[in-house]
Amino acid sequence: MAEKPTYEELEKRILELESAGLERKPAEEWQRDSEQLMTDIFESIQDGISVLNPDLSIRHVNGVMKKWYSANLPLEGKKCFQCYQNANKPCNPCPTLRCLQSGKTEMDIVAGLPGSDIEWIQLFSYPIKDRNLDKITGVVEFVRNITERKKRENALKESEKRLNIIYESAPDAYYINDFAGVFVDGNNAAEKLLGYSREELVGKNLAEVGLLPEHEVERAIKALNENINGKGTGPDEYTLKRKDGTMVPVEISTHPVKMGGEDRVLGIARDITLRKKAMEENLKRQQYLESVLYHAPDAIITLDSEHRVVDWNRGAVNIFGYTPKEAIGINLDDLIAPEESHIEAGGKTRQVLSGKRVEAFETVRYRKDGTPVQVIASGSPIMINGAIAGVVAVYTDISDRTRAEVALKESEQKFRTLVQQSPFGISLIEKDGRYLYANPEFRKMFGYTIEDIPTGAAWFEKVYPDKAYRDKVIQTWKADLKQTASGHPRPRAFTVTCKDGTCKDIYFRPVTMENMNQFVIYEDITEKTKLERQLQQTQKFEAIGTLAGGIAHDFNNLLMGLQGRASLMSVDLESSHPHWEHVKAIEDYVRSATDLTKQLLGFARGGKYEVRPIDINELLHESATMFGRTKKEIRIHTKLQNPPPVVEADRRQIEQVLLNLYVNAWQAMPDGGELYLETKIFTLDDARCKSYQLEPGHYVKISVTDTGIGMDESVCQRIFDPFFTTKEKARGTGLGLSSAYGIIKNHAGTITVYSEVNQGSTFNIYLPVSQAAAYRDDGPTENHLVKGSETVLLVDDEDMIIKVARAMLKKLGYRVVVAKDGEQAVDTVNTKGDQIDLVILDLIMPGMKGGETFDLIHKIQPAMPVILSSGYSLNGQAQEVMQRGCNGFIQKPFNISELSQKVRTILDEANSVAKG
């Protein structure tokens, strides 16, 4: 088909015709011919043509336009944009308007008629000028339907766009080279894989960049040459070196392609790092599975479709005793299920060979040597393309488990027996707080059953009725639970209230089990706690007693100096002397101070003075009568044991104890009240004596009960502590009850207290009963000086004591020899023993002690009388020395009268013994 003439060519031909026609034809004929020519031209052109006036109204249109826009006929006289665009104003862009303005040919692509199948048109606008070519009289529009072309172009663009998206978003690296290996282009994946940007690689030879190791460059060049021949290569594996130096395994294929009319090579590179890793993992997994198969403790046996052994692992060797060589090719049931078990095994074999799985079941199979093996067996068919290719059978030896289950049952029975018979309370509490179990001892210990305490909340509510204490216990329990790992005990001691209302000290040992349940052991430590408290009390008093004894000893030595000097002065003074009164006052003060040291020694270890058998009823009656005369508001009631009990005691100290208790009772009854006194013979057995640290036997129980304000438990626990008092500062020192406790303990007894607030108090004193007759005092000895002329060895380490004692002895007429320590005393006896008549020996001295000194003196001079002297009382050490043969004891501080009588008495007794 001949190509259509251009609009310029048509215009030229028309002008030629016009020129030729003017020369040869009349004007009318030429006009007709011209019009016919225009009509023929208009109608022969396949593009739409419309001639427009300068106001864009349509002057003429050809048939094509009429055909396209038949819905808007007639077209002439209407505005072009009304007919062609169904618009109220010219389209934008409008080449016709531009043509009218510029006088030149204009072209644009605009949208076609809305609603028609003409979607896009190419519009050429040519100006129509007058003959002088200086005025535009109209415009010729050539309209070409480019809908199909536009669709093809759009489709091509969409295709290119899709291809570009695929190209750029492809996971594989796409790159384009020329046949020399020079990089032309690459996608995003190529940049990511290589580590270079496209700009860094364009125009560079990939081999020169160093992307490939040297040993792979030759293979890559060979692949490029294959593309010259139009073949392409790959996929082949290469190792790429990225920009950062890391090596990446890739799979590359190449393809010859056309690009911009030029031959190129398209390379597709795929990172196979993960695939190689997966292959390695699969290889490892395969090796692992093979290792599991051959090293598993279970027997894993592969069989063919005839149930013959194909594979026999090490587990099968260990369980059944056959080697693989002995087992492979043999029917499995014939190997391990002989005789009576063959029928049962055959049924399972038929089941698995029918394509059904045999679920795990317990059975017995047999070893090569015929011994039975308890196993768990299972089997599965091996299916290939829907057909049974074989069977895998698995056997687990449970002989040990069976034995363990039997042992476990025995262990459970032992555990159940142990729990049921346990001397401790035991409970099991679920993690949600519900009690699952409580043993008989638990019910016996607390009185509660599981029905009484179904949950932990109920337990806490009942056994800790005091809210403040309950909250404290719960907080402690929760804190311990968080901080202690499972399997580890969380020991704690709490006081619980039992069902009958009694309180017990309980030692808890809760343990969190692996399933988060709580296993709790309960130990009743009420008696143990009481013993510990009493032991602590005893230890406390022993320590304080030692301290008090030392203080009293040193204080008594000081008082000895004062007492001695005052005694010496009083000997030479008449009662009318102006200093007589002062000297006697000094002696009174010394006696008061001595009473204070006696009170300290009252709870010091062994703080007894003159121990004699005393009638306790008589002492109780006399002390109560004396107290009652001064406290008329207290009504005293007595209930005394008959016959009267006798105890070995220091009368003055026991009297001090009783008076302390009376005063305490009086202070507890400020408005008056009742005081009940009672004595009773009481037998303490081993259990009771253990708690009080006493020897079993008969005791006299002395009870002092008042109806006063009472005390709570915390006060009762501290009532015997030294310096503890509930009285006002001016009414007590806190030594009364502590000294009472010390005195009674020193007499091999004990003292207890029971009290409740507003219910009064009862103090119980226990003293060992003596079988001796009660001592009767015939009255006081006349206080006068008894003199002598014998020689006395005075042994003491204190200069002050030596000076005053020597002065008193000389005042009494005695000759005095002094030794300042035990060694010097022994030397003096060795050298002058025959000249010494009596030794006054200090008990506590540095170096050689008084007891050791006495033993050496007694060894040298067995008949020499010795008086022991000490600032301590007649305690354990002095008593031991007395029992070894010492003749007498004198307590510091002593006055000259006491010294004269003690020295004279001992000397006279010694003389009497010597005369025989």
Side-chain angles (χ1 to χ4, degrees), residues 552-565 568 590 792-810 816-820 840-846 867-872 890-895 899:
H553 170 266
D554 293 344
F555 195 39
N556 278 342
N557 279 341
L558 292 172
L559 293 177
M560 179 66 222
L562 294 173
Q563 176 68 71
R565 297 295 182 184
L568 288 169
V590 169
V792 177
L793 173 60
L794 178 61
V795 186
D796 204 298
D797 62 301
E798 293 281 352
D799 287 340
M800 175 182 61
I801 303 298
I802 289 174
K803 289 177 181 180
V804 72
R806 180 167 54 187
M808 286 194 291
L809 287 169
K810 285 186 175 181
V816 180
V817 179
V818 173
K820 290 190 175 183
I840 300 177
L841 175 63
D842 187 21
L843 179 63
I844 305 299
M845 294 183 296
I867 298 175
L868 203 58
S869 173
S870 177
Y872 286 108
I890 187 167
Q891 172 75 41
K892 298 176 185 177
F894 48 81
N895 58 31
L899 178 61

Side-chain angles (χ1 to χ4, degrees), residues 624 627-628 631-638 666 669 671-677 705-707:
F627 176 75
K631 302 295 183 290
K632 301 293 185 180
E633 69 275 19
I634 304 298
R635 292 177 295 278
I636 300 176
H637 309 274
T638 59
W666 166 66
M669 299 183 290
D671 298 325
E674 310 292 329
L675 183 62
Y676 296 90
L677 308 177
T705 303
D706 64 62
T707 57

Side-chain angles (χ1 to χ4, degrees), residues 409-421:
K409 288 180 181 178
E410 294 176 354
S411 176
E412 287 177 349
Q413 182 60 41
K414 291 177 182 177
F415 177 76
R416 188 176 295 108
T417 303
L418 177 65
V419 169
Q420 290 289 103
Q421 303 299 324

Side-chain angles (χ1 to χ4, degrees), residues 284-298:
K284 288 180 181 178
R285 182 171 179 79
Q286 182 179 353
Q287 294 172 343
Y288 170 76
L289 291 175
E290 289 177 357
S291 177
V292 169
L293 174 65
Y294 286 100
H295 297 92
D298 294 341

Side-chain angles (χ1 to χ4, degrees), residues 25 101 273 406 477 483 497 516 523 621 697 714 752 767 810 853:
K25 294 183 179 181
Q101 293 172 356
T273 303
V406 173
W477 182 279
Q483 296 171 6
T497 301
M516 301 309 292
E523 179 184 359
H621 183 269
S714 63
T752 65
L767 292 171
K810 285 186 175 181
T853 304

Side-chain angles (χ1 to χ4, degrees), residues 566-585 587 785 811:
S567 295
L568 288 169
M569 290 171 65
S570 66
V571 171
D572 297 327
L573 292 179
E574 298 291 337
S575 59
S576 59
H577 194 281
H579 292 163
W580 174 264
E581 182 180 351
H582 299 306
V583 172
K584 290 301 178 184
E587 290 184 328
L785 300 182
K811 192 71 172 179

